[in-house]
Amino acid sequence: MSDVDTKIVSLKIEAPEALVKQTEEFTKQIITILPGIHCAIGYGLANSMLIEGDDGNIIIDTLESCEAAIELHKDFQAISSKPVVAIIYTHNHADHVFGTEVLAGDNLSNVKIYSHATTRTILDVTGLIQRITFQRAARQFGMYLTEAHGIVNDGIGLHLKFDKNNRRSLLYPTDTFDTDSLNLTIAGRNLVLYHAPGETDDQIVVYMPKEKVLFAADNIYKAFPNIYAIRGTSTRDAIQWVSSLDLMRNLRAEYLVPSHTKPISGAEYIYETITIYRDAIQFVHDQTVRFMNQGFTPDDIIGKKFIQLPKHLKEHPYLQEFYGTVDWSIRAIFDRYIGWYSSKESDLNPDAPIIRAQNLIRLGGGSKKVFESAQTAYSEEKYQWCLELTEALNLHPEDLNKSEVIQLQVLALQKLASFQTSANGRNWYLTKSLEIQGLIEIKPSPNQVSQTIMNAPLKSLFMFLSINLNYQKANEVNQLFLFHFQDTNAKFSIHIRNGIADVKYQWPENFQSSSIDVIVEVTREEIWKQVIARIKSPIEAVSDEEIILKDGSGEINQELIVPFLMFLTMFTSD
């Protein structure tokens, strides 16, 4: 192991020159597109746009956190101190909506928030998987990486400025539309909002017909599109994305302002660039489906290099794989149409990872010989094979020194990172190399968890309870709890029924009092949120008469505190 040990100390994590050069796209600046129309780049992962109106300003997208938005708010105010009268969310992604409270400034209580009608629903549902998406996003965007760790950029922006120390401020949309388009006049500016599903289903682009300025959202940026994001998303509908790009190019805009990377100008250049972009998406989609129909799996298609972008696409500056990749897109498109099963019989009911690791190590002659094979693979620059072997050894090290296995795995991850043009892949490898050494632990801070709960709609919190039910504790339970919130008159029911929590956003009709275990009266929604967030104990809330427990007949019964507490213990995020 001595040769490898030496390399651990001296290894420099190189990066492709093209990825390093992509950083130039994100130089912090505010570009004036036309008088009164500005694009801020480099303040966060995404761009934020300011449109000056007659008696107020309009902002398109608000960055990823309060901290990211503070400097931008100051610089926007230096350009125009008029109140922000409208904010437009182009879509639901975190880097476009979580600095709103700061950028709204002094007009926070009066600002109108525009979005597509589905944006709020998506924001609420996204909270269901916040814990895992936070972890995976941290890996994709390198949120815990520093320059010393080898981070270069995030492919479509410099860095996502959100980690366990940052705060999010989301204002929900006040004005939405569910038609193909919406015509608006705000502060004397004429705007058309087009529903243009692409990178997200709720994506909208904003067009200023008089000025011929198109705000393109995330439907085009100077990098190969993310038809699937490794942080964890459903696969984007490639054909729907192509259709939206057709809508956009046919507007014949003279200025194109994406929500990532720099704006471009010139009607013909913009038309040609959007055409190239949509053609690349269609090409990968069509050819993937073509080979799927011939019975090939993604491993076959990628391994045999069946799909390679034509030269005019491969060399185009807007299609370099700094973000998404062709290979990941192939896998995603296959999964969207066919689902998880490859059609290979051994994939139908595979062994657990530990069993596969044990079998591999046994086949390789034991852990020591497999470890030697992993060292050889590393020396022969077969870094992917080295990684696979060390992953198996981590699961089943037998009598090996596990720290040596981890050291070799770290080297393999760093080497694989050094070859990645995609910032997403590079950041994932490098972040994982820190995690397996125990140098970082990725999870939201307690304050962030509490903030999420306190800002969540009440319906979302009851939905969260359902997915946090510990079914082992509830396996033989049959209980009905009714909730009433006195400040809003909102009513909910939760029926714990043999391992599931059946949540309804109303009380059941024609119920018998004998079927109800506890009626929970809560004076204010905020109190319930504090209990869920563990800011206030349920015993304290009951003692202060902020939560009142009643039996099925509606009579107050303090003895119900015991079943109420037992009810709460059935829900855990662990």
Side-chain angles (χ1 to χ4, degrees):
M1 185 66 185
S2 57
D3 291 341
V4 176
D5 281 337
T6 302
K7 291 175 183 175
I8 289 175
V9 175
S10 61
L11 181 63
K12 181 181 178 182
I13 306 168
E14 302 290 346
E17 183 179 345
L19 180 61
V20 175
K21 187 173 177 59
Q22 177 74 346
T23 302
E24 296 173 5
E25 282 289 321
F26 318 126
T27 302
K28 184 182 290 184
Q29 58 187 308
I30 296 179
I31 297 174
T32 298
I33 311 300
L34 287 171
I37 303 174
H38 315 277
C39 175
I41 300 173
Y43 288 80
L45 183 70
N47 300 340
S48 181
M49 283 63 68
L50 170 67
I51 302 171
E52 299 177 61
D54 293 338
D55 54 357
N57 294 331
I58 305 161
I59 290 177
I60 301 176
D61 291 340
T62 63
L63 306 182
E64 63 264 37
S65 66
C66 293
E67 289 77 8
I70 288 171
E71 182 182 6
L72 177 59
H73 175 63
K74 178 182 176 182
D75 290 349
F76 273 171
Q77 284 288 295
I79 293 172
S80 172
S81 60
K82 295 174 187 174
V84 175
V85 295
I87 289 173
I88 300 171
Y89 294 155
T90 60
H91 59 294
N92 67 86
H93 282 172
D95 52 319
H96 299 257
V97 301
F98 282 125
T100 305
E101 182 181 301
V102 173
L103 289 178
D106 295 336
N107 203 34
L108 183 63
S109 59
N110 298 313
V111 66
K112 287 193 171 186
I113 312 289
Y114 294 88
S115 78
H116 189 259
T118 57
T119 297
R120 175 163 187 153
T121 302
I122 296 171
L123 284 167
D124 288 345
V125 171
T126 301
L128 289 175
I129 52 174
Q130 183 198 27
R131 188 170 179 176
I132 184 62
T133 53
F134 180 90
Q135 184 183 72
R136 292 176 63 118
R139 292 171 183 157
Q140 174 179 312
F141 293 113
M143 286 158 45
Y144 287 67
L145 299 176
T146 66
E147 288 187 12
H149 296 137
I151 193 168
V152 176
N153 58 55
D154 284 341
I156 55 169
L158 188 59
H159 299 304
L160 182 70
K161 295 181 179 179
F162 187 80
D163 59 27
K164 63 183 180 180
N165 299 313
N166 294 124
R167 188 172 71 87
R168 290 177 169 179
S169 62
L170 171 66
L171 297 183
Y172 278 98
T174 60
D175 294 66
T176 65
F177 69 103
D178 59 5
T179 53
D180 290 340
S181 62
L182 176 67
N183 290 277
L184 296 171
T185 299
I186 304 173
R189 292 286 197 173
N190 294 324
L191 309 171
V192 185
L193 277 53
Y194 289 100
H195 183 213
E199 195 183 78
T200 63
D201 287 341
D202 65 329
Q203 198 95 188
I204 63 174
V205 297
V206 182
Y207 187 54
M208 302 180 73
K210 179 181 177 181
E211 297 83 356
K212 295 188 179 299
V213 176
L214 175 60
F215 299 92
D218 280 8
N219 276 351
I220 184 170
Y221 34 69
K222 196 175 181 182
F224 193 87
N226 233 11
I227 293 177
Y228 169 77
I230 60 174
R231 62 180 171 80
T233 60
S234 56
T235 298
R236 285 78 189 249
D237 186 333
I239 294 304
Q240 186 172 255
W241 197 334
V242 165
S243 178
S244 293
L245 288 166
D246 283 339
L247 179 155
M248 292 164 60
R249 67 178 178 149
N250 288 331
L251 292 173
R252 296 283 181 169
E254 293 182 2
Y255 302 90
L256 181 73
V257 187
S259 287
H260 295 278
T261 66
K262 293 177 182 176
I264 58 175
S265 61
E268 286 306 311
Y269 178 58
I270 291 169
Y271 186 88
E272 291 170 2
T273 301
I274 298 176
T275 300
I276 284 284
Y277 212 73
R278 58 90 61 211
D279 286 356
I281 295 173
Q282 182 179 340
F283 174 84
V284 176
H285 169 272
D286 291 355
Q287 295 307 309
T288 299
V289 174
R290 173 186 167 221
F291 286 109
M292 280 168 46
N293 282 328
Q294 294 177 34
F296 293 107
T297 67
D299 287 345
D300 297 327
I301 297 169
I302 295 167
K304 296 177 181 179
K305 301 187 183 300
F306 285 154
I307 299 177
Q308 301 291 310
L309 289 180
K311 184 178 180 182
H312 74 286
L313 297 178
K314 188 177 182 64
E315 295 180 354
H316 197 278
Y318 270 71
L319 294 173
Q320 300 309 296
E321 294 176 305
F322 301 129
Y323 200 50
T325 77
V326 172
D327 287 353
W328 296 342
S329 300
I330 292 167
R331 294 189 185 281
I333 292 165
F334 181 97
D335 181 75
R336 181 176 178 86
Y337 282 112
I338 302 297
W340 63 266
Y341 182 44
S342 68
S343 80
K344 189 168 68 173
E345 288 72 24
S346 60
D347 287 342
L348 194 56
N349 291 290
D351 287 328
I354 182 63
I355 301 299
R356 293 202 299 273
Q358 290 170 349
N359 290 338
L360 175 62
I361 290 166
R362 189 179 299 114
L363 180 64
S367 59
K368 288 184 178 179
K369 287 191 175 181
V370 171
F371 184 63
E372 290 172 1
S373 296
Q375 289 178 300
T376 299
Y378 183 88
S379 299
E380 294 177 351
E381 301 183 359
K382 298 175 181 177
Y383 304 119
Q384 177 65 28
W385 182 229
C386 178
L387 178 61
E388 292 181 31
L389 292 177
T390 52
E391 285 178 342
L393 288 166
N394 260 321
L395 288 172
H396 187 61
E398 291 184 331
D399 55 351
L400 284 178
N401 182 338
K402 196 168 181 178
S403 65
E404 291 188 341
V405 177
I406 290 172
Q407 287 176 342
L408 184 55
Q409 187 176 353
V410 167
L411 284 176
L413 288 166
Q414 291 175 339
K415 277 294 187 182
L416 289 168
S418 71
F419 299 124
Q420 285 284 301
T421 299
S422 168
N424 293 348
R426 178 184 177 87
N427 292 341
W428 192 289
Y429 284 134
L430 293 177
T431 302
K432 195 65 182 177
S433 75
L434 298 180
E435 286 183 86
I436 64 174
Q437 295 178 81
L439 298 177
I440 60 172
E441 182 183 13
I442 300 175
K443 64 179 183 180
S445 69
N447 284 341
Q448 288 173 329
V449 173
S450 296
Q451 182 195 352
T452 298
I453 292 171
M454 295 304 295
N455 291 337
L458 200 57
K459 286 181 68 172
S460 295
L461 290 184
F462 277 87
M463 195 185 307
F464 296 162
L465 285 176
S466 175
I467 63 163
N468 283 310
L469 180 70
N470 184 327
Y471 78 91
Q472 289 96 338
K473 291 184 178 180
N475 195 35
E476 296 182 359
V477 175
N478 190 346
Q479 293 181 335
L480 177 61
F481 281 67
L482 304 185
F483 291 79
H484 177 229
F485 294 86
Q486 296 175 355
D487 57 335
T488 60
N489 202 32
K491 293 183 176 181
F492 299 85
S493 68
I494 301 181
H495 187 185
I496 306 295
R497 189 172 59 250
N498 300 321
I500 65 106
D502 185 0
V503 177
K504 303 297 184 189
Y505 305 129
Q506 59 189 13
W507 282 10
E509 295 182 6
N510 303 317
F511 59 83
Q512 300 294 319
S513 60
S514 59
S515 67
I516 301 167
D517 291 276
V518 181
I519 297 175
V520 184
E521 289 275 355
V522 187
T523 56
R524 291 178 293 124
E525 290 186 0
E526 182 184 8
I527 299 301
W528 182 245
K529 292 180 179 181
Q530 289 174 349
V531 169
I532 297 299
R534 300 181 182 179
I535 297 171
K536 178 184 283 286
S537 77
I539 294 176
E540 180 186 359
V542 171
S543 177
D544 293 342
E545 297 185 349
E546 294 168 322
I547 291 179
I548 301 142
L549 303 176
K550 300 179 179 180
D551 61 24
S553 300
E555 297 296 324
I556 297 175
N557 185 345
Q558 296 298 332
E559 292 182 2
L560 292 174
I561 186 67
V562 174
F564 178 56
L565 293 176
M566 292 296 293
F567 167 82
L568 291 176
T569 62
M570 288 188 282
F571 299 94
T572 174
S573 59
D574 297 331

